[in-house]
Amino acid sequence: MPDLTLLAQLLINGLILGAIYALISVGLSLIFGVLGIANIAHGELYMLGGYALFFLMETSTLGFWTSLPVVVAALGVFGYLLYRTLLSRTEGQESLERGLLVTIGVSMVLQNGMIYILDAQPRIVSTPYAFNNFQLMGLRLPQQRLFAVLVAIFSLSVLYLLLTRTRLGKAMRAVTQNRDAALAVGIQPGLVSALTVTIGASMAGVGGAIVAPMWGIHPTMGLPILFKSFAIIVVGGLGSIPGAAIAAILIGLVESFAGGLVSIVLQDAAAFILMIVVLFVRPQGILGKRVRL
Amino acid sequence: MRTSSLPFVNVGLLLILVMATLLSGCAPAATPTEPPAEPTATDAPAPTEEEAMPTEPPESEAEPIRLGFSSPQSGPAAGVGEQQRWGAELAVKEINAAGGVLGRPLELVVEDNACNPAEGVTAASSLLEQDISAFAGPMCSSVALAILDLFQEAEVPVVIGVATSPDITPLSGVGGNEWAFRITPSDASMAAAEVPYLVDEGIESIALVAEDSDFGRGVAEAFATEADAHGITVTSSDFFAKGTPDFNTILTRIDADSPDGIAIFAVGGDDINLVRQILSFGMEARIVGRPELDLLFDELEDPSGLEGAVSVIQYTTRADTPENNAFIEAFQAEYGANPVLQGAQGYQQIYVIAEAIERAGSDDPAAIRDALEDTDYLGLMGAPISFDENNQAHPNIAIFVVRDGEVVVDELMGS
């Protein structure tokens, strides 16, 4: 019987993982909801966030905290341009299929472009907190992980306020719920979509930036997180923001306990096992509504 | 028109399909592995006098003796694969500058195997069609295991330099593939050298963490067997997919067992990531197994947490033998970088083959094979390379220890 300290530690680890996953998959879910696009390039936005932090910290005097807003801005601009140049052309009929193809292309270009420009070498992002950790009653909390969670919670709260308290947020939710009706009441879907991709890209970028000091960066780091994020938004209900956040925490916890009590192999499979189960039992996901696309 | 009553299922299935496609297409690239010491300067310095004016230039009309070579030249392992090629090319250059073999120059025919069994087989087949007298390569164990049969059928001798899988030993020599020779000790011999050392250090329990590959599985099994024999308890074994980002969950479980040591078997980026998380988690277990200590000391922002770590390696620039010092100097002059394990093994592979050709007095593959059996070549690590009945050599290996913040060779011993 595993002791309480171990279980409590696994709970903490799981919540940390879940908060990080939430940050990344919420953006993916948002883009899916508003644009109807499954953004395969989301993992690469996350990768770019990690690299942006790395280069800011290497080449400027900015530290970890001061670099984060720059990463947010840089990825936001990147997301906006991505929408204006490519994603805006996929809207309309068959947007899911066309969006898939376009974003697969973007993903390949970014990934291989990074390998071409730099190399495939993994890089460490050093912060002064790398090897610090807090200990209390046998429980451990590495400082960098604590920071990651704080940033994730802060970013998710900002997004929540944006969606519920601002006109833009309401417009975004309106487009998600019914695009045609939103058009009819005068919402400009183009602008809403552009801002959605901007926000989604920023959040993926922050996600990459907060994990970079813990896990390092390399050009293909986005792939595993992309798969996991898709599993999360399917479990949570496609297009549902709270659903994605809840599913992310759930999957973080399941992974932590699977890895901590059984094996790391099961940990890797956990998200997908959960996704398959949900598709069988509740195909619309935890919070998904059973609507026609 | 989209009239499905269960659109979510369709979207979900579509996503699964896309993910599966991406995963199968890109999985190998997800684990960048870089050499312990990536050379910084690739431009070779000006030719030395020796090569500009070879003392005994081979007859220009003499037909070269062709040797096949493959290592990863692309993909995640390309960096260290290139080192192995450099080592082999340096040996060829030196031998040719000194008059070649049997009065004929050596010619290295190079193919890329990407550390991937399928591409390894393609590379080997292509080399076998190019009239080669012997083969050196292929770096990765999974490639070696895939291609050995091809060379047996073609009756061309193979000298393996880097692949350490214990599975190769029983397949070679008497009762197996008589065309395969290996100059690197296997993971089993390396574990046999390290485990008694750990016992002496007072380590009684160990957790294993290894990458999920032929290398990781093989080395962990060899290590566990040896640990068992010496009364060390193995508290857990974990095999992670290459490129796994987060290790905290398993580290939590391992830490709850409080083993004296955590034996890690990972390469390049995975090695760095795993060790950083062990250190940031504040584990007290000593890091043992096969951590790439030189690489970690180069890369980690603060390697002080590695104090007391133990590793074992089949080549090190720290071995102070005349042969090694000469090799390091020549390698640096040629490539502007320090040789790593792969570079040294590529170099020795070619010398072992060249020496066998000299004794065979012929470039006939069968004659070279027979001559290889009697190999007695003084290796860079100061012990002779000669083959047992499994065509397995037992060169020296080094036990690395981190002491007072520095990597030191504690022992240079036979394998």
Side-chain angles (χ1 to χ4, degrees):
Chain A
M1 177 61 202
D3 68 312
L4 275 177
T5 318
L6 174 64
L7 293 178
Q9 183 73 52
L10 292 177
L11 183 71
I12 294 174
N13 293 351
L15 290 174
I16 294 172
L17 269 187
I20 295 167
Y21 291 162
L23 188 57
I24 297 150
S25 33
V26 156
L28 187 65
S29 182
L30 199 63
I31 293 174
F32 183 85
V34 174
L35 279 77
I37 286 177
N39 180 21
I40 302 292
H42 210 68
E44 276 60 49
L45 299 174
Y46 160 87
M47 179 268 289
L48 288 179
Y51 273 89
L53 179 80
F54 173 77
F55 283 111
L56 282 168
M57 290 184 60
E58 287 283 308
T59 60
S60 75
T61 54
L62 297 180
F64 173 70
W65 291 108
T66 39
S67 293
L68 284 181
V70 186
V71 173
V72 172
L75 265 293
V77 170
F78 187 86
Y80 184 83
L81 294 177
L82 180 65
Y83 175 79
R84 285 297 180 204
T85 52
L86 292 171
L87 299 186
S88 59
R89 293 163 209 277
T90 66
E91 285 181 275
Q93 285 292 310
E94 247 91 85
S95 66
L96 179 72
E97 290 85 343
R98 295 200 300 177
L100 268 181
L101 291 175
V102 168
T103 55
I104 286 175
V106 172
S107 157
M108 296 284 169
V109 168
L110 290 177
Q111 206 180 94
N112 293 297
M114 192 56 92
I115 294 175
Y116 179 76
I117 295 169
L118 299 169
D119 47 39
Q121 194 173 353
R123 288 175 162 77
I124 288 178
V125 180
S126 298
T127 68
Y129 329 111
F131 296 132
N132 297 351
N133 73 74
F134 301 112
Q135 303 206 11
L136 182 71
M137 290 166 45
L139 297 179
R140 290 184 183 155
L141 185 53
Q143 200 174 348
Q144 195 70 53
R145 275 170 203 257
L146 177 68
F147 290 163
V149 173
L150 294 179
V151 172
I153 292 172
F154 175 77
S155 310
L156 290 167
S157 312
V158 170
L159 179 73
Y160 178 79
L161 292 177
L162 185 91
L163 287 176
T164 52
R165 302 287 164 81
T166 65
R167 289 174 65 87
L168 170 65
K170 285 175 184 159
M172 283 162 77
R173 289 191 293 147
V175 175
T176 308
Q177 281 158 13
N178 191 327
R179 198 178 181 86
D180 295 335
L183 255 178
V185 298
I187 293 174
Q188 291 174 281
L191 183 63
V192 171
S193 298
L195 291 171
T196 302
V197 180
T198 305
I199 293 168
S202 298
M203 295 189 71
V206 176
I210 58 172
V211 303
M214 295 165 2
W215 298 342
I217 52 171
H218 53 85
T220 47
M221 66 190 265
L223 273 181
I225 204 81
L226 173 79
F227 301 147
K228 216 158 266 178
S229 301
F230 271 125
I232 287 168
I233 68 170
V234 169
V235 169
L238 284 167
S240 162
I241 308 293
I246 292 169
I249 303 282
L250 185 67
I251 284 180
L253 287 172
V254 170
E255 282 192 349
S256 177
F257 282 98
L261 298 178
V262 192
S263 83
I264 197 164
V265 177
L266 189 65
Q267 176 183 341
D268 282 336
F272 304 99
I273 293 172
L274 198 63
M275 177 176 84
I276 291 165
V277 171
V278 166
L279 282 176
F280 271 115
V281 179
R282 194 176 155 81
Q284 69 272 39
I286 296 173
L287 292 187
K289 285 188 291 281
R290 214 164 154 147
V291 293
R292 283 161 198 252
L293 278 180
Chain B
M1 295 307 289
R2 298 189 199 172
T3 49
S4 163
S5 58
L6 283 176
F8 288 104
V9 176
N10 294 342
V11 173
L13 291 178
L14 189 56
L15 288 181
I16 293 173
L17 199 67
V18 170
M19 287 193 275
T21 316
L22 285 176
L23 192 60
S24 59
C26 313
T31 55
T33 307
E34 276 299 313
E38 174 76 18
T40 44
T42 43
D43 45 330
T48 60
E49 271 177 50
E50 189 185 26
E51 70 189 283
M53 290 181 291
T55 43
E56 284 174 75
E59 302 262 324
S60 51
E61 306 94 63
E63 203 190 323
I65 298 174
R66 296 161 71 83
L67 302 181
F69 175 89
S70 91
S71 74
Q73 309 290 319
S74 66
V80 278
E82 185 176 50
Q83 268 260 353
Q84 193 176 6
R85 177 168 59 82
W86 283 354
E89 286 175 350
L90 178 63
V92 166
K93 195 169 171 179
E94 285 180 4
I95 291 166
N96 287 347
V101 180
L102 307 176
R104 295 163 63 187
L106 293 179
E107 182 189 337
L108 203 63
V109 189
V110 177
E111 291 277 346
D112 174 19
N113 67 37
C115 192
N116 167 326
E119 293 192 45
V121 167
T122 310
S125 311
S126 155
L127 287 171
L128 284 170
E129 283 168 10
Q130 298 182 54
D131 193 26
I132 55 170
S133 296
F135 171 83
M139 197 173 116
C140 300
S141 290
S142 45
V143 177
L145 289 164
I147 65 174
L148 285 181
D149 283 354
L150 287 177
F151 288 94
Q152 186 175 24
E153 277 165 31
E155 305 199 328
V156 170
V158 174
V159 173
I160 297 167
V162 180
T164 50
S165 169
D167 293 347
I168 294 171
T169 317
L171 292 175
S172 313
V174 172
N177 185 340
E178 301 207 330
W179 298 84
F181 295 82
R182 177 156 68 171
I183 64 168
T184 180
S186 77
D187 291 323
S189 337
M190 289 167 72
E194 185 181 3
V195 170
Y197 183 89
L198 298 179
V199 173
D200 288 346
E201 292 277 295
I203 290 176
E204 290 171 358
S205 56
I206 279 183
L208 304 183
V209 183
E211 64 172 43
D212 198 359
S213 68
D214 279 336
F215 162 67
R217 295 258 171 193
V219 67
E221 193 188 320
F223 194 93
T225 310
E226 207 57 48
D228 244 18
H230 286 83
I232 292 182
T233 315
V234 175
T235 53
S236 62
S237 306
D238 282 281
F239 298 94
F240 64 88
K242 290 194 238 177
T244 293
D246 190 56
F247 293 102
N248 255 30
T249 52
I250 59 164
L251 294 183
T252 301
R253 165 162 46 79
I254 289 170
D255 198 42
D257 296 334
S258 356
D260 297 331
I262 175 167
I264 65 170
F265 306 97
V267 180
D270 286 332
D271 208 29
I272 297 171
N273 193 20
L274 175 56
V275 168
R276 281 183 92 229
Q277 291 186 38
I278 290 173
L279 298 184
S280 73
F281 197 67
M283 290 177 81
E284 274 155 31
R286 281 173 73 176
I287 296 173
V288 301
R290 298 267 283 278
E292 297 167 316
L293 292 176
D294 280 330
L295 173 73
L296 292 165
F297 263 74
D298 279 350
E299 297 285 332
L300 290 188
E301 48 268 72
D302 175 15
S304 64
L306 285 169
E307 190 66 28
V310 179
S311 189
V312 56
I313 194 160
Q314 57 278 55
Y315 172 77
T316 168
T317 51
R318 292 179 172 83
D320 187 16
T321 68
E323 295 77 19
N324 197 26
N325 294 337
F327 164 67
I328 295 167
E329 196 181 322
F331 196 93
Q332 282 172 336
E334 188 75 25
Y335 305 109
N338 270 324
V340 298
L341 160 70
Q342 286 79 0
Q345 297 300 93
Y347 181 83
Q348 299 189 91
Q349 281 171 297
I350 298 300
Y351 266 103
V352 164
I353 294 173
E355 193 240 11
I357 298 174
E358 195 75 57
R359 276 185 291 108
S362 149
D363 67 354
D364 173 51
I368 298 172
R369 195 213 74 79
D370 293 343
L372 275 170
E373 283 194 344
D374 302 320
T375 294
D376 188 13
Y377 165 77
L378 184 58
L380 297 174
M381 298 281 278
I385 291 177
S386 53
F387 299 106
D388 65 13
E389 71 275 13
N390 284 118
N391 294 352
Q392 169 70 58
H394 297 276
N396 274 350
I397 49 186
I399 300 273
F400 267 10
V401 186
V402 181
R403 202 173 282 149
D404 301 324
E406 272 185 58
V407 182
V408 294
V409 177
D410 195 86
E411 254 180 88
L412 205 57
M413 57 167 82
S415 57

